[in-house]
Amino acid sequence: MNCDNSMSTLQNPAQLKVKTIKVSELNQLTKVSNTIFLDVRTPEEFKKGSIPNAIHINYYDNNFKTKIQNLDKTKSYIVYCKSGFRSQKASKLMLNLG
């Protein structure tokens, strides 16, 4: 979630696009069985609270790119962080990696 109450989401690989969404749109998106929350915050931020069943991959982890490459490409991801900077960068990386 970033300062303007939005998150980045990576659509399924067939669509290959990143879209910023508002928190108010989340309810509808969470009903899609193919959607996974991806938390790219630090471990310290994650420990303070997280969305249930979210996958946690620290954006600053040395193996971040490898871990992102290993995600299921048939799924759609809602990527979030504290301010929106990391989620936006992570979403673009995911897009570039297919």
Side-chain angles (χ1 to χ4, degrees):
M1 196 169 352
N2 65 24
C3 297
D4 67 356
N5 258 355
S6 62
M7 295 183 173
S8 295
T9 181
L10 178 61
Q11 302 297 319
N12 70 41
Q15 294 172 332
L16 287 179
K17 69 179 188 177
V18 174
K19 177 185 173 195
T20 300
I21 61 171
K22 298 198 178 298
V23 173
S24 59
E25 296 176 81
L26 277 179
N27 190 34
Q28 180 182 6
L29 289 173
T30 56
K31 293 178 183 176
V32 178
S33 62
N34 211 27
T35 303
I36 297 173
F37 284 97
L38 176 61
D39 187 329
V40 296
R41 298 176 300 157
T42 64
E44 294 77 21
E45 292 170 318
F46 187 78
K47 287 178 189 172
K48 291 180 182 178
S50 62
I51 294 174
N53 301 314
I55 295 173
H56 178 238
I57 303 176
N58 178 9
Y59 180 79
Y60 298 115
D61 186 301
N62 291 334
N63 297 317
F64 181 75
K65 184 176 179 180
T66 301
K67 291 177 180 180
I68 290 297
Q69 285 176 310
N70 291 328
L71 291 172
D72 184 345
K73 291 177 175 53
T74 66
K75 305 290 183 184
S76 294
Y77 294 88
I78 296 174
V79 183
Y80 68 99
C81 67
K82 184 176 180 182
S83 68
F85 175 77
R86 291 170 286 181
S87 61
Q88 185 176 51
K89 299 279 256 182
S91 295
K92 288 180 180 177
L93 175 62
M94 292 171 76
L95 179 65
N96 289 335
L97 295 173

